[in-house]
Amino acid sequence: MTATLQATEKRYYTPEEYLALEETAEYKSEYHDGKIVPMTGGTTNHNRIARNMLIALTLQLRGQDYEVFIGDVRLWIPKIKRFTYPDVMVIAGQPEYYNNRKDTITNAQVIIEVLSKSTKGYNRGDKFRAYQTIPSFQEYILLDQNQMFIEQYVKQENKRWSYRMYDEEDAALTFSSFQVEVPLADIYEKVDFAEAEAEADPEDFKEDEGE
């Protein structure tokens, strides 16, 4: 029996129990204050977009006091006791680790998520609200994998967030947290929208019925 299947047999888990299960699980899961919520793999377009974003940020931030991480690094949200796996994260300065674990950070400044049909509501809603409890969090980027469409949220004063959308091929995503611009054509390089329509859309995130 896999760790993921075992996770369904118990209602409440401590963070330490969850982390121990994740080390041997076949698939990644999120942790929501005692509940383990399974995730499944994404599409090829999802992977292309995340990879393109990672490459662009890594090249443009080279030599600066920022570091870029991809989906295998967990994020701990202490205020609501949640572990997630953002598609791309950027931190300023040195990473701050959860209990000295080098696979889990706590100080994301920019978080980037690639949306699927099944996850877009979660990423725009409950997940965004969870991320807002992180003191270092300043900018949220949502990349649609089914069309050339990007949403950008930037933290303002008094808990306000500005909003901007991008949907033109000749436009460029302009980050607020650092001086980086990434053309949408680069972000969506090799992404096949016809393929996206044909592919079954896996549930990257399955919201627990009790959530």
Side-chain angles (χ1 to χ4, degrees):
M1 181 178 294
T2 68
T4 300
L5 290 177
Q6 290 173 348
T8 65
E9 298 176 356
K10 183 178 178 181
R11 182 165 182 81
Y12 179 86
Y13 292 81
T14 66
E16 290 71 25
E17 288 174 328
Y18 158 78
L19 291 169
L21 286 170
E22 279 294 274
E23 289 180 358
T24 58
E26 186 176 354
Y27 301 106
K28 293 186 294 187
S29 298
E30 290 189 357
Y31 175 86
H32 294 194
D33 193 15
K35 295 181 180 180
I36 293 178
V37 185
M39 301 168 62
T40 58
T43 64
T44 52
N45 278 341
H46 182 289
N47 190 269
R48 288 165 182 147
I49 294 168
R51 178 198 63 207
N52 292 342
M53 204 67 253
L54 170 68
I55 292 171
L57 286 171
T58 300
L59 291 175
Q60 293 199 50
L61 292 174
R62 179 171 294 171
Q64 301 183 49
D65 196 20
Y66 295 97
E67 193 165 2
V68 188
F69 295 98
I70 56 174
D72 288 336
V73 175
R74 271 188 303 270
L75 176 66
W76 168 241
I77 309 173
K79 188 170 183 179
I80 60 170
K81 299 179 182 179
R82 184 175 298 193
F83 289 103
T84 67
Y85 288 91
D87 290 314
V88 183
M89 292 185 286
V90 183
I91 67 166
Q94 295 297 313
E96 297 174 7
Y97 295 109
Y98 170 80
N99 288 351
N100 294 317
R101 293 185 61 104
K102 299 300 188 284
D103 58 1
T104 308
I105 66 172
T106 64
N107 60 325
Q109 178 175 341
V110 178
I111 297 176
I112 301 170
E113 299 282 10
V114 181
L115 304 182
S116 71
K117 293 177 182 178
S118 60
T119 64
K120 59 185 179 181
Y122 171 53
N123 282 300
R124 289 181 178 129
D126 183 61
K127 200 173 194 180
F128 186 24
R129 290 190 294 272
Y131 288 155
Q132 289 177 47
T133 68
I134 302 171
S136 59
F137 179 50
Q138 298 292 320
E139 190 164 3
Y140 193 40
I141 308 296
L142 299 174
L143 309 173
D144 198 315
Q145 67 171 296
N146 295 305
Q147 59 181 324
M148 189 172 287
F149 182 68
I150 296 174
E151 296 171 277
Q152 177 186 39
Y153 296 86
V154 177
K155 189 175 183 179
Q156 309 294 319
E157 295 180 358
N158 300 321
K159 297 183 179 180
R160 294 182 179 179
W161 291 77
S162 66
Y163 174 80
R164 182 177 178 183
M165 67 175 67
Y166 304 80
D167 59 3
E168 300 291 340
E169 186 173 3
D170 58 354
L173 170 62
T174 303
F175 284 85
S176 174
S177 300
F178 30 70
Q179 293 185 338
V180 168
E181 289 189 0
V182 186
L184 268 65
D186 291 353
I187 296 171
Y188 286 94
E189 182 182 8
K190 293 189 177 180
V191 172
D192 186 340
F193 294 118
E195 176 183 295
E197 291 297 325
E199 283 179 329
D201 185 25
E203 283 192 278
D204 303 299
F205 172 82
K206 295 185 178 180
E207 184 75 43
D208 186 88
E209 291 181 357
E211 289 286 297

